[in-house]
Amino acid sequence: MFRASQSIEPANSRVLQERWDAKTYSMHRQRVKAAKSTVDTKPPPAHSHLRSKARKRQEDDIRFARIEKDNRRLLEHMVHIMNSKGRVDHHNDYHYRSTNSWKRQVELDRIAQENYAAVHRINAQRPVYNTAKWEAENKKHRDLVAISSRYPRDRSQPSNLDRLPVCICPSISATLCVYGVLFIGQERLSFQF
């Protein structure tokens, strides 16, 4: 240890010089610890009005009071519903009334009256077509077909001849007009319906 320490100043006794050096060093360390810094690195002082935030506390109190009031009101509603066996007044007695419903009703009445008059006119009109004349012409046509056909027609079987259009031409001296063939005397003329 004596050989390891190297004194700055020359001394007669190395042991004493070593003690003095240790004492000097400890005093230096104390002064370094006690030295005040030239740069202020401490946090700023905390003010009480910034720590407490009375305004925020007041707003929170108002908000909590409103929440408590709403909760109390909901609880009262639920108690009322439970005590009244769950009957809730949700019926809407308002009847929809249009501003122009009377106008629509007048228009519907006018249309109904016109329809009634049209039906009355149709029922009062006499038919234009003479069905008795058509039946007579159809019978005459079937008789002519039966006369001119090669084989006699079986009356139990339905035939398409009953549904053929009547083609007897009174203006021409024709005997028969069947299937688009016109017989005039001995001549045969084809035509389409």
Side-chain angles (χ1 to χ4, degrees):
M1 182 169 176
F2 298 111
R3 294 182 188 140
S5 69
Q6 303 231 348
S7 178
I8 298 171
E9 299 175 1
N12 293 333
S13 171
R14 286 185 181 179
V15 176
L16 285 176
Q17 189 63 40
E18 200 174 286
R19 280 185 189 169
W20 294 337
D21 287 342
K23 188 174 179 185
T24 306
Y25 180 71
S26 67
M27 285 172 45
H28 167 70
R29 291 304 302 154
Q30 286 177 359
R31 281 194 304 265
V32 168
K33 277 186 182 178
K36 291 186 178 180
S37 63
T38 57
V39 178
D40 188 14
T41 58
K42 291 186 289 186
H47 302 289
S48 63
H49 70 280
L50 294 176
R51 259 186 285 136
S52 64
K53 297 184 182 177
R55 175 76 175 182
K56 186 176 183 301
R57 194 177 329 123
Q58 181 184 8
E59 289 175 356
D60 287 345
D61 290 343
I62 292 171
R63 188 168 55 91
F64 290 145
R66 188 169 49 237
I67 290 171
E68 286 295 324
K69 182 181 176 184
D70 291 344
N71 287 344
R72 193 177 321 111
R73 193 173 60 192
L74 284 172
L75 183 63
E76 288 173 3
H77 282 301
M78 290 175 65
V79 167
H80 174 69
I81 289 170
M82 289 176 67
N83 290 338
S84 63
K85 299 179 182 175
R87 294 183 187 149
V88 181
D89 184 19
H90 62 281
H91 300 292
N92 188 4
D93 295 333
Y94 176 75
H95 297 289
Y96 178 74
R97 292 187 182 120
S98 177
T99 55
N100 61 351
S101 62
W102 63 272
K103 197 173 190 179
R104 283 199 310 266
Q105 188 62 40
V106 167
E107 184 68 18
L108 288 174
D109 291 342
R110 184 187 62 80
I111 291 171
Q113 192 173 12
E114 287 178 3
N115 289 344
Y116 178 75
V119 167
H120 185 68
R121 281 194 309 269
I122 290 170
N123 289 336
Q125 188 68 30
R126 291 179 49 94
V128 175
Y129 300 117
N130 190 353
T131 56
K133 182 180 174 185
W134 284 357
E135 287 176 7
E137 288 177 355
N138 191 16
K139 184 180 181 309
K140 187 177 177 183
H141 174 70
R142 275 188 273 132
D143 291 342
L144 289 173
V145 169
I147 291 169
S148 64
S149 63
R150 183 177 292 182
Y151 301 105
R153 191 167 67 97
D154 185 13
R155 284 292 177 179
S156 63
Q157 299 275 333
S159 173
N160 289 337
L161 291 177
D162 293 337
R163 291 189 294 270
L164 280 177
V166 177
C167 270
I168 296 180
C169 306
S171 61
I172 304 174
S173 60
T175 57
L176 186 60
C177 175
V178 178
Y179 293 117
V181 178
L182 180 65
F183 295 91
I184 300 176
Q186 298 292 329
E187 294 182 13
R188 178 178 166 177
L189 303 173
S190 296
F191 65 98
Q192 291 184 353
F193 289 96

